[in-house]
Every structure is written in structure tokens, then in C-alpha cells.
């Protein structure tokens, strides 16, 4: 009976359409999580002797996503402000007369909605973690392969001093690992929600529980989620934690994409995506689509996270609006990061590096990219003032005459004993880039 929702296909969202995260956050996936939460509630009560075992079996059997019409539930959700209310009615009817009263017994809609949200988040984060692992492994291979591949370091858009592509890739990987670690921590702590009408568990005591505090623990075991210290109807730390780790993950992947977008410009072309996207008007183009989609996700993620942080201000024992405002932004944030993680893995695994172009670019400033090194080397020999005067003059001539720095310096008798070719070779002035790359790759 489940019906697909045409608005849920991602027509305008190529960044997450067709991704594992899209499937894990679809309306059908949310419906499955809601049903899982309801069935687990009855099973956890049965485990503590608060419901017959047959009731747990009956509710679990009836909680089959194919038996429910997601479009109908969505339309009827308007009546009570959330989809749990019509779902409970349909599930109770499906279970039947004898065991129907055990459906949703003692719970409130927010218990089920929050718990289902945690299930959807957990299932999606598992997929995100898998793609983050793919990404960091591919970046590690790039960093190792290009440990000593020199290219211009750029600061404020201009050539600064040489660096290595290995160190750049190791830096991308470091951010991805930071994201992975944060997502892992949040994933491991996602809790069930169970408090009843106002977070006191009173109804479960009324239904015969001698120790109502044992019920959230049993509920958590049924679902593979964490048991909360307190019901968190208005204590929205789990939502804020999700907002934080997802926004950070988006930013970490965004740094990788932003650098690739710069390095793959036509006039730079130091890297390229393995399969560029075509243009509808210009047949010659191979657009960096993976990087572009990641960049689009990153532009939206902080604002979505801000909405979720805003919902921390939740009045009373159930707020009007703050809780409801979380659902769509959180799902969209999960989708965006899930899609970006997929694209980042594909980008890293297929990234093409062009060392020959990097080498050409090191020479664009005629050797001036190593002026920092020359200042340090010549000051003891010539004195600080004379070294600065000489370098300023040869820098001017290097640009106006188009001649290499080493050639211009070779005419200075004061420098006749120096190996100017080595001193002005950008590939020999990468500092500790190789050692830093090695250190970064030790991290697991």
C-alpha cells in the first residue's frame, strides 16, 4: 500500500538524488523507522512483563511498511500536526481487536517521532561513515603517491612558496578524518526517546510497571540506540549534536572540493576530475561536477544547522513549533552530507593529478617563488640591507626582462661561490612538507 511521493525523488537535488542517503531518508524510510519504533515499544514492554508476548509478535508483524499508505499518512498528519497520530490509528487497526490496545501504549507522539528520527539518522550516518572512509583512503593514496610532487603554494590567490601536492592531499584527509571521528561519536550516542505525555513515564507506572526507569533501557536495546539519562522532549542535545557533526562534515568535504575547483580551472589545470560533466551548450567542456555538487551542499549546510540549533530553545515539556521545525532541516542536512560524502569518495578515487603542469607553474614567477629562501641565504653573505636591495632589483628585472632569477643573479660577483641553480629550484624548497605528509598518514 505504500505510495511513492513524487516530491521525494530529488529532481532539483542532484547532489543527493540516487545516493544511499537519499534512500535512507526517504518518506518510506521514515515510515519504516516510525513503525520500527512502535513495534520496539511493544516488545520492550513485553520483555518487562507489561504486555503479552503475543502482543509484541502481533504488533511487529503488523508494522510492515508495505501495509501503509505514506501519502495518506502525510495528508492526515495535518490534523494533529505530526504523522504519528494517523499512523497509530492505522497500526492499531492492522493489529486487530485483541492486541490493538498495546500499540503505542503509554507513549506520546514525540516519543515515537524522536526515536524514529534517531533511527533514520543512525542508518544514514552509517552510510556517511562508509563514504568518509572511502574518501580518506583515496586521499591517503594520493598523498603517498605525491609526497614530493611540488606545486605552487597559494596565499590570497597569489603564488607564495612551494608546497607539495602530497601535503595538500594529506590536509584534505586530515579534515575528513576529523569529520569521521565527530560523526562516529554522535552516531554512537544517538538515543531513544521515551517519556510519555510530559516526560515523567507516569503512564507506564499506571499500566503496571514497577520500575518505569527500566523501560527506556529495554527500548534502547530493542532498537540498538543509546539509553538517555532523561527524556529529552525539550532537552535537544541529540539534535544539536547531529547539526554540529553534519555541518562540520560538510565543511570538511567542502574544503577538498573548493581546492579542486581552483586547481582544475582551465588556466591552472593542475588536477582534473576523472569524468567531467558535459555542457548543454559547449561541447568542449568537462565540468568538475562532483566538486560543484559538494560546493552546493556546503553553502546550505550551515543554515540548516542553524535552524536545528535554534530549536534548543524549547519551552515547557513540549514546545509548539520548535520540535516540528527540526524535521525537514535535519532530513535535508542528512541528505546533503550523505550526497556530498558519496561525491567526495568518487572525486578522491578518480582525481587526476598533473605534476608536469605543476612544475610549469612553479616557474611562472621566473624563480621568485623562492625569494624567501634567497633572503635567508643572502642576508648573512651580503648583509640584510644589501640582500634586500639586490633581490628587489632582480625581481623587477625578472618580470620586465622575462629572465630566470638564477641567470640574473649569476652576474653578481658576490654570489659566484653559490649554487644558484639549486637555491632557485622551487622543487628543492618544500621545507618539511614530506615529513609532515608522513606524519599525517600515520593517523588512522
Amino acid at each position: 500500500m505504500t505510495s511513492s511521493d513524487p516530491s521525494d525523488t530529488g529532481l532539483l537535488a542532484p547532489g543527493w538524488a540516487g545516493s544511499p542517503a537519499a534512500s535512507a531518508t526517504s518518506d518510506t524510510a521514515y515510515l519504516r523507522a516510525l513503525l520500527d519504533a512502535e513495534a520496539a515499544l511493544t516488545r520492550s514492554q513485553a520483555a518487562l512483563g507489561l504486555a503479552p508476548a503475543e502482543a509484541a509478535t502481533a504488533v511487529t508483524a503488523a508494522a510492515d511498511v508495505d501495509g501503509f499508505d505514506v501519502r495518506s499518512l502525510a495528508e492526515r498528519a495535518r490534523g494533529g500536526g505530526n504523522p504519528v497520530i494517523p499512523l497509530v490509528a492505522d497500526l492499531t487497526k492492522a493489529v486487530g481487536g485483541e492486541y490493538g490496545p498495546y500499540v503505542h501504549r503509554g507513549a506520546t507522539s514525540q516519543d515515537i517521532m524522536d526515536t524514529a528520527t534517531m533511527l533514520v539518522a543512525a542508518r544514514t550516518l552509517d552510510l556517511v561513515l562508509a563514504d568518509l572512509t572511502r574518501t580518506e583512503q583515496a586521499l591517503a593514496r594520493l598523498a603517498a603517491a605525491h609526497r614530493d610532487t611540488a606545486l605552487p603554494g597559494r596565499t590570497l590567490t597569489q603564488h607564495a612558496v612551494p608546497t607539495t601536492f602530497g601535503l595538500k592531499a594529506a590536509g584534505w584527509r586530515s579534515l575528513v578524518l576529523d569529520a569521521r571521528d565527530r560523526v562516529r561519536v554522535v552516531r554512537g550516542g544517538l538515543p531513544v526517546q521515551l517519556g510519555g505525555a510530559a516526560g515523567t513515564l507516569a503512564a507506564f507506572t499506571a499500566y503496571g510497571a514497577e520500575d518505569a526507569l527500566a523501560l527506556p533501557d529495554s527500548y534502547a536495546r530493542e532498537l540498538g540506540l543509546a539509553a538517555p539519562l532523561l527524556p529529552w522532549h525539550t532537552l535537544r542535545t541529540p539534535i544539536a549534536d547531529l547539526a554540529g557533526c553534519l555541518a562540520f562534515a560538510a565543511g570538511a568535504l567542502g574544503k577538498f572540493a573548493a581546492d579542486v575547483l581552483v586547481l582544475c580551472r582551465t588556466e591552472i589545470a593542475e588536477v582534473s576530475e576523472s569524468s567531467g560533466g558535459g555542457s548543454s551548450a559547449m561541447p568542449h567542456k568537462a565540468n568538475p561536477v562532483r566538486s560543484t555538487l559538494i560546493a552546493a551542499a556546503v553553502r546550505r549546510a550551515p543554515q540548516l544547522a542553524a535552524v536545528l540549533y535554534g530549536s534548543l530553545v524549547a519551552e515547557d515539556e513540549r514546545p509548539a513549533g520548535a520540535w516540528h521545525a527540526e524535521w525537514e532541516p535535519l532530513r535535508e542536512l542528512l541528505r546533503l552530507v550523505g550526497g556530498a560524502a558519496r561525491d567526495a569518495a568518487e572525486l578522491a578515487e578518480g582525481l587526476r593529478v598533473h605534476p608536469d603542469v605543476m612544475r610549469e607553474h612553479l616557474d611562472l614567477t621566473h624563480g621568485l617563488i623562492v625569494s624567501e629562501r634567497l633572503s635567508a641565504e643572502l642576508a648573512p653573505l651580503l648583509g640584510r640591507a644589501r640582500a634586500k636591495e639586490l633581490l628587489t632589483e632582480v625581481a623587477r628585472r625578472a618580470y620586465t626582462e622575462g629572465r630566470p632569477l638564477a641567470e640574473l643573479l649569476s652576474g653578481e660577483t658576490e654570489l659566484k661561490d653559490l649554487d644558484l641553480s639549486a637555491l632557485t629550484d622551487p622543487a628543492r624548497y618544500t621545507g618539511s612538507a614530506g615529513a609532515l605528509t608522513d606524519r599525517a598518514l600515520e593517523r588512522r
Side-chain angles (χ1 to χ4, degrees), residues 9 74 79 122 129 221 223 262 350 387 442:
T9 58
L129 285 168
R221 286 192 296 273
L223 291 170
V262 169
E442 291 174 2

Side-chain angles (χ1 to χ4, degrees), residues 33-387:
L34 290 165
L35 290 166
D36 288 345
E38 289 286 5
L41 177 62
T42 309
R43 291 198 304 273
S44 63
Q45 293 186 60
L48 296 178
L50 302 177
E54 294 82 2
T57 300
V59 174
T60 300
D64 181 349
V65 70
D66 290 331
F68 297 83
D69 188 332
V70 69
R71 181 183 292 277
S72 172
L73 290 169
E75 292 171 351
R76 288 183 287 147
R78 183 172 173 79
N82 73 76
V84 177
I85 295 171
L87 178 67
V88 169
D90 290 357
L91 180 57
T92 301
K93 181 179 179 180
V95 171
E98 184 176 0
Y99 298 119
Y102 291 98
V103 171
H104 196 71
R105 194 170 72 156
T108 189
S109 294
Q110 191 177 358
D111 288 331
I112 301 303
M113 193 69 189
D114 281 349
T115 298
T117 296
M118 293 298 102
L119 283 174
V120 168
R123 291 163 182 173
T124 307
L125 292 186
D126 287 341
L127 300 171
V128 170
L129 285 168
D131 281 334
L132 291 178
T133 296
R134 284 177 56 200
T135 303
E136 68 89 359
Q137 289 175 347
L139 291 175
R141 292 191 293 271
L142 283 171
H146 294 280
R147 177 187 186 274
D148 301 311
T149 300
L151 80 163
R154 296 173 171 93
T155 62
L156 302 179
T157 76
Q158 305 297 298
H159 283 201
V161 296
T163 184
T164 68
F165 188 75
L167 183 57
K168 187 178 286 284
W172 296 335
R173 177 178 181 264
S174 182
L175 275 178
V176 172
L177 290 176
D178 289 343
R180 179 204 65 186
D181 291 348
R182 284 160 174 75
V183 171
R184 276 182 178 172
V185 170
V186 172
R187 165 64 181 90
L190 294 177
V192 297
Q193 166 73 300
L194 193 62
T200 65
L201 298 166
F204 300 109
T205 300
Y207 283 118
E210 294 182 5
D211 180 12
L213 294 179
L215 192 54
D217 292 347
S218 176
Y219 193 33
R221 286 192 296 273
E222 286 290 337
L223 291 170
L225 295 174
L229 178 66
L230 294 172
W232 49 278
H233 295 111
T234 53
L235 310 174
R236 309 306 283 174
T237 301
I239 301 296
D241 284 345
L242 280 166
C245 81
L246 289 168
F248 182 91
L253 298 174
K255 161 60 176 171
F256 173 31
D259 280 349
V260 171
L261 287 170
V262 169
L263 296 178
C264 74
R265 286 176 178 268
T266 303
E267 59 271 27
I268 298 178
E270 292 174 357
V271 302
S272 56
E273 292 195 8
S274 60
S275 55
S279 164
S280 63
M282 295 168 283
H284 68 281
K285 293 191 71 180
N287 296 321
V289 176
R290 300 279 78 74
S291 303
T292 297
L293 293 177
I294 296 169
V298 173
R299 288 178 181 270
R300 298 181 59 201
Q303 287 71 37
L304 292 167
V307 174
L308 299 178
Y309 279 124
S311 292
L312 280 166
V313 185
E315 72 279 1
D316 301 325
E317 280 61 57
R318 181 166 299 105
W323 164 54
H324 306 75
E326 297 167 349
W327 305 337
E328 292 174 280
L330 178 54
R331 176 160 79 167
E332 190 65 10
L333 192 51
L334 286 165
R335 286 174 164 177
L336 286 173
V337 175
R342 172 195 62 178
D343 286 333
E346 294 177 0
L347 175 61
E349 289 169 348
L351 192 67
R352 296 171 179 168
V353 182
H354 308 300
D356 54 334
V357 178
M358 294 175 180
R359 177 65 233 196
E360 289 177 13
H361 290 168
L362 287 169
D363 297 326
L364 285 176
T365 55
H366 308 292
L368 292 174
I369 196 169
V370 296
S371 61
E372 177 188 70
R373 179 183 192 177
L374 289 170
S375 295
E377 294 280 352
L378 298 187
L381 183 63
L382 305 178
R384 196 171 189 179
R386 170 59 181 148

Side-chain angles (χ1 to χ4, degrees), residues 401-444:
E401 300 174 20
R403 295 167 62 192
L405 190 60
E407 179 183 324
L408 293 171
L409 290 172
S410 65
E412 301 294 327
T413 56
E414 303 152 294
L415 308 180
K416 60 183 176 57
D417 294 329
L418 296 179
D419 184 352
L420 293 173
S421 177
L423 283 176
T424 58
D425 182 0
R428 300 191 190 186
Y429 190 55
T430 58
S432 298
L436 289 168
T437 300
D438 294 340
R439 175 190 289 181
L441 292 178
E442 291 174 2
R443 180 179 174 188
R444 295 292 181 263

